[in-house]
Amino acid sequence: MAACQQAGGDEREGVMRGISKLAQELGLSTGTISRALNGKPDVHEKTRRRVLDAARQLGYEPNQAARALARGRTQSVGFMMDLDPQAAASGDSFFMGVFDGVHSVLMEHGLDLHVLPCPSRQDRFAYLDRLVARRVVDAMILSNTGTADPRVGLLQAAGIPFVTFGRTKSPKGFSWVDLDFEGVAESAVERLVSLGHRRIALTVPFGDLNFGVVFKTAYRKALEKRGIAFDPALVFSTGLGDEDGYYLVDELLGGGPPVTAVILIFEAAAIGMYRRLSELGLKPGEDLSIIGLRDELAVRNLAPRLTCFDVPLHDIGVALSEALLAQMGLRSSSGRSPFVHLRVPLGLRPGGSDGTVRSVSPKKR
Amino acid sequence: MAACQQAGGDEREGVMRGISKLAQELGLSTGTISRALNGKPDVHEKTRRRVLDAARQLGYEPNQAARALARGRTQSVGFMMDLDPQAAASGDSFFMGVFDGVHSVLMEHGLDLHVLPCPSRQDRFAYLDRLVARRVVDAMILSNTGTADPRVGLLQAAGIPFVTFGRTKSPKGFSWVDLDFEGVAESAVERLVSLGHRRIALTVPFGDLNFGVVFKTAYRKALEKRGIAFDPALVFSTGLGDEDGYYLVDELLGGGPPVTAVILIFEAAAIGMYRRLSELGLKPGEDLSIIGLRDELAVRNLAPRLTCFDVPLHDIGVALSEALLAQMGLRSSSGRSPFVHLRVPLGLRPGGSDGTVRSVSPKKR
DNA sequence: CTGAAAGCGCTTACAG
DNA sequence: CTGAAAGCGCTTACAG
């Protein structure tokens, strides 16, 4: 039956791919197909319907690479996430909720979200540089911003729309969304001072993360506003783990005039603190007041319950993508400035881990 | 000097982009540039060096879309992750470690990793279908496999190399890596039985996740092997939250002959269980023995320490990408079968949450 | 060893 | 309203 040469429509079908197959099938040019599919106005309604029907039936979707090349944009947004091994180990689900929020907004604009995980052993700048040079995405969301984050300049120079989740030292000239560390510091200090505390410690992250600086500055301002001198000796760096809190307790209580309260940047430390306090026969909320940052599963079973803050992850994601859309020119920026600078307020969730001050007499170890 | 037509190097530079700019700069054809950059053998070593130097200096990276279109592959791998709001809320950092492992292997083969988060409100099949049809990535890693997961058939039909993190009901014809739930069930049951327990409950996830079925089957087998009849009334479905454990306690103790031990699929439930037991004046490890699945931060501060298992996230990532490389033909499959079926063993971490059985007389509520 | 040319699968002015 | 054609920025047989 079959001739030795491939001939006729059937055999050819296998050869044509993508839009040209559709075109052949419908007896239309690829240009018309493209216009119909992309909702261009100058297509006969009947033609458009035929095209749409056929496309659905054949499961046709335009090839991403071809479309991106022709259009000069990929229609996708990258979210760069650090694969910090410490973060990975510490039950940090911070981003899942954010992604969901980002996605919900991007979808409406036909944009895809690609999470681009930067391996722990790789340089963040180099990783981003390569992505940008290759034009893998049209726009970027950066997280974990450093105090002076060179990635910002890279993206600016490349002319890629972007928004950061977190400020940098000089937060002008680009859009960012960040947690309202100022508000957190203010309400935590306010709460502790009103409970009678004067020696209030603070923990900040190791390394060059900008929010450590922001948090410290806000804490200092909140203290001084209430006539309490800032004491640099009361600022401690910690990691994300619970064990950081364990050792912190001795540092807090071991020195000169003991600290009576502490505000934690990484709430997981509270877990270790409770443990160590218990060993010392001391009680959180009585002998040492503790306020954590984020209410998350890992600290939710502490007794007494940890006083901390609600972080609206989904809302943060929404805010990030809306700021980004404005940068991409897909949404009119609401204000006079083209840049969004948004500090997301966190609501305090009072627990029992902070209380009125009382004289502590820790056992010297 | 300049004719009315654009002429000379300078004016043109702005116009030419990418490889042709490089070609012009060096006085070579784009073909030669391409071959030099891609390490093809038939390029003069001196030429190659010139090209490589110029590329580095100009920060040239081939445009991703153009390259993908020309080559017919994107050189990137997708990792589909569900943005389950429940998972997001429950501190699930499970994937970060896995990503890092995946990345470490893919890098060596010049492959990029794109995490493709499927929004909670979107259908997983449709989401994947679109990605595949658009040829966004060359290969896929799927997670959270359902009992009968239609995504497997989709990928098979499309001829896209893939591997799943998790089995399905019929785990033939494709590669998967999964936790060794059989080993977990066996060693948990073994441990509990040797402590004298006979009424051992099990929790499984809600919904159609395959590992629930696998876990239950393995549990049943482990029991029967020891002459203990399987009792379906002792299998409970729970979610990922700590509160699931809270209510579970009453279910376990409230019925007929009380359960003396439970094996948890989601260890966070232990948090709620400890809380509820404490309210009832009962003690984990004494009045009720508990074994959790994964050792994670959220359960690490329980006292007594929860008996559970170590999950080697990074190794899992490595295994996934190696299985995938074999599918992609980038690595010879070691065995006779082209498919990898790997159950990753988990090491037991003994804690104090399980102990010898003793008669429990819970207060009736 | 290098260049000229075709082609990857789309989109988009440009004619008609 | 539709088609023919050029072009997006690469890669890769094919000549030479």
Side-chain angles (χ1 to χ4, degrees):
Chain A
M1 253 167 93
C4 42
Q5 277 275 340
Q6 285 199 348
D10 277 344
E11 287 84 62
R12 277 177 119 148
E13 264 173 33
V15 176
M16 308 289 262
R17 250 186 311 179
I19 201 171
S20 45
K21 177 170 175 197
L22 236 190
Q24 181 203 252
E25 205 101 341
L26 292 170
L28 288 166
S29 72
T30 59
T32 300
I33 304 278
S34 173
R35 284 187 294 259
L37 252 24
N38 287 311
K40 305 282 177 185
D42 53 352
V43 177
H44 193 103
E45 202 40 55
K46 210 168 107 189
T47 307
R48 188 192 305 283
R49 196 168 308 286
R50 277 183 65 213
V51 172
L52 256 30
D53 285 350
R56 186 164 342 99
Q57 201 172 343
L58 276 70
Y60 171 77
E61 289 279 347
N63 177 291
Q64 166 66 9
R67 176 178 262 190
L69 182 58
R71 284 188 173 166
R73 56 207 149 76
T74 62
Q75 220 86 279
S76 66
V77 168
F79 193 121
M80 183 168 163
M81 175 178 64
D82 291 354
L83 251 33
D84 184 341
Q86 200 189 20
S90 74
D92 191 350
S93 74
F94 202 76
F95 287 109
M96 306 287 161
V98 176
F99 294 157
D100 209 40
V102 170
H103 219 314
S104 67
V105 174
L106 294 184
M107 272 181 77
E108 293 167 15
H109 292 260
L111 296 168
D112 290 317
L113 177 64
H114 289 216
V115 176
L116 302 166
C118 181
S120 49
R121 340 179 269 181
Q122 199 168 332
D123 178 64
R124 301 201 300 176
F125 185 86
Y127 179 80
L128 180 63
D129 196 19
R130 179 162 169 277
L131 283 173
V132 165
R134 298 172 62 216
R135 299 270 152 186
V136 172
V137 293
D138 296 340
M140 284 291 308
I141 300 174
L142 260 36
S143 55
N144 282 324
T145 44
T147 306
D149 200 316
R151 295 177 302 168
V152 167
L154 169 63
L155 257 14
Q156 285 172 324
I160 303 250
F162 71 98
V163 48
T164 64
F165 181 21
R167 284 163 271 181
T168 67
K169 188 170 51 186
S170 47
K172 308 281 184 187
F174 65 96
S175 288
W176 51 260
V177 173
D178 203 353
L179 303 188
D180 180 20
F181 290 103
E182 288 84 347
V184 168
E186 169 64 20
S187 56
V189 167
E190 161 63 25
R191 188 172 161 94
L192 291 170
V193 168
S194 73
L195 288 167
H197 296 275
R198 307 283 296 178
R199 304 241 333 136
I200 301 168
L202 181 80
T203 68
V204 294
F206 286 121
D208 182 45
L209 292 168
N210 187 250
F211 64 85
V213 179
V214 170
F215 203 30
K216 184 161 78 173
T217 305
Y219 151 86
R220 176 177 190 153
K221 184 178 278 181
L223 286 178
E224 291 176 345
K225 182 171 156 187
R226 290 168 179 80
I228 301 175
F230 168 74
D231 180 355
L234 297 189
V235 177
F236 300 84
S237 293
T238 71
L240 285 156
D242 52 337
E243 67 282 5
D244 290 274
Y246 185 90
Y247 300 108
L248 179 65
V249 168
D250 294 286
E251 293 193 69
L252 293 178
L253 303 181
V259 160
T260 63
V262 61
I263 304 167
L264 303 174
I265 186 74
F266 296 134
E267 60 288 335
I271 298 169
M273 293 186 72
Y274 275 50
R275 194 162 61 230
R276 181 59 181 151
L277 286 171
S278 162
E279 289 175 5
L280 294 171
L282 299 175
K283 293 196 170 160
E286 297 183 15
D287 302 300
L288 182 64
S289 285
I290 306 171
I291 295 184
L293 188 68
R294 183 162 77 99
D295 183 34
E296 51 149 331
L297 181 63
V299 300
R300 214 164 284 158
N301 69 317
L302 291 172
R305 175 133 192 163
L306 184 67
T307 294
C308 53
F309 296 82
D310 256 333
V311 178
L313 300 175
H314 193 275
D315 295 349
I316 289 169
V318 169
L320 280 168
S321 45
E322 287 185 337
L324 189 60
L325 288 173
Q327 287 302 301
M328 297 172 78
L330 296 175
R331 196 189 222 51
S332 58
S333 46
S334 45
R336 54 261 141 255
S337 163
F339 300 119
V340 172
H341 299 329
L342 178 65
R343 296 193 324 226
V344 178
L346 312 186
L348 183 81
R349 292 183 67 128
S353 64
D354 51 350
T356 52
V357 71
R358 68 178 199 190
S359 58
V360 188
S361 49
K363 311 179 179 78
K364 287 278 176 201
R365 34 169 199 159
Chain B
M1 255 164 94
C4 44
Q5 277 276 345
Q6 283 200 347
D10 278 344
E11 287 85 57
R12 279 178 120 146
E13 263 175 34
V15 177
M16 308 287 261
R17 247 185 314 177
I19 201 171
S20 45
K21 177 169 176 197
L22 237 190
Q24 181 203 250
E25 206 100 341
L26 292 171
L28 288 168
S29 72
T30 59
T32 300
I33 305 278
S34 173
R35 283 187 294 259
L37 252 25
N38 289 310
K40 304 283 178 185
D42 52 352
V43 177
H44 193 104
E45 203 39 55
K46 210 168 108 189
T47 308
R48 187 192 305 282
R49 195 167 309 285
R50 276 184 65 213
V51 172
L52 256 31
D53 285 349
R56 185 162 346 97
Q57 201 172 343
L58 276 71
Y60 171 76
E61 288 280 347
N63 178 291
Q64 166 65 9
R67 178 178 260 191
L69 182 57
R71 284 188 173 167
R73 56 206 149 77
T74 62
Q75 220 87 279
S76 66
V77 168
F79 193 122
M80 182 169 164
M81 174 178 65
D82 292 354
L83 251 33
D84 183 341
Q86 199 190 19
S90 74
D92 191 350
S93 72
F94 201 75
F95 288 109
M96 306 286 161
V98 176
F99 292 158
D100 209 39
V102 170
H103 220 314
S104 67
V105 174
L106 294 185
M107 274 181 77
E108 293 167 16
H109 292 261
L111 297 168
D112 290 317
L113 176 64
H114 289 217
V115 176
L116 303 165
C118 181
S120 50
R121 339 180 268 184
Q122 199 167 332
D123 179 63
R124 300 201 300 176
F125 185 85
Y127 179 80
L128 179 63
D129 197 18
R130 179 162 168 277
L131 284 173
V132 165
R134 298 173 61 215
R135 299 271 151 184
V136 173
V137 292
D138 296 340
M140 285 290 309
I141 300 174
L142 260 35
S143 55
N144 281 324
T145 44
T147 306
D149 200 315
R151 295 177 301 169
V152 167
L154 168 63
L155 257 14
Q156 285 172 325
I160 304 250
F162 71 99
V163 48
T164 64
F165 181 19
R167 285 161 272 180
T168 67
K169 188 171 51 185
S170 48
K172 308 281 184 187
F174 65 96
S175 287
W176 52 259
V177 174
D178 202 353
L179 303 188
D180 180 20
F181 289 103
E182 288 83 348
V184 168
E186 170 64 21
S187 55
V189 167
E190 161 62 27
R191 187 171 162 95
L192 292 170
V193 168
S194 72
L195 288 167
H197 297 273
R198 307 284 295 178
R199 301 234 345 129
I200 301 168
L202 181 81
T203 69
V204 294
F206 286 122
D208 183 44
L209 293 168
N210 188 250
F211 64 84
V213 178
V214 170
F215 203 30
K216 184 160 79 174
T217 304
Y219 151 86
R220 177 178 190 153
K221 184 178 278 182
L223 286 178
E224 291 177 345
K225 183 171 155 185
R226 292 169 178 80
I228 301 174
F230 168 74
D231 179 356
L234 296 189
V235 177
F236 301 84
S237 293
T238 72
L240 285 156
D242 53 336
E243 68 280 5
D244 290 272
Y246 186 90
Y247 299 108
L248 178 65
V249 168
D250 294 287
E251 292 193 69
L252 293 178
L253 303 182
V259 158
T260 63
V262 61
I263 303 167
L264 303 174
I265 186 73
F266 296 133
E267 60 288 336
I271 298 170
M273 293 187 71
Y274 276 50
R275 195 161 61 230
R276 181 59 182 151
L277 285 172
S278 162
E279 289 175 5
L280 294 171
L282 299 175
K283 294 196 169 158
E286 296 183 14
D287 302 301
L288 182 64
S289 285
I290 306 172
I291 294 184
L293 188 68
R294 183 163 77 100
D295 182 35
E296 51 151 332
L297 182 62
V299 300
R300 214 163 286 158
N301 70 317
L302 292 172
R305 175 132 194 165
L306 184 67
T307 295
C308 51
F309 296 83
D310 257 332
V311 179
L313 299 175
H314 194 275
D315 295 348
I316 289 170
V318 169
L320 280 167
S321 46
E322 288 186 336
L324 189 59
L325 288 173
Q327 286 304 300
M328 298 173 78
L330 296 174
R331 197 190 221 52
S332 58
S333 46
S334 45
R336 54 261 142 258
S337 164
F339 300 119
V340 172
H341 299 328
L342 179 64
R343 296 191 325 225
V344 177
L346 313 185
L348 182 81
R349 293 183 67 127
S353 63
D354 51 348
T356 52
V357 72
R358 67 179 201 189
S359 58
V360 189
S361 48
K363 311 178 178 81
K364 286 279 179 199
R365 27 165 206 163

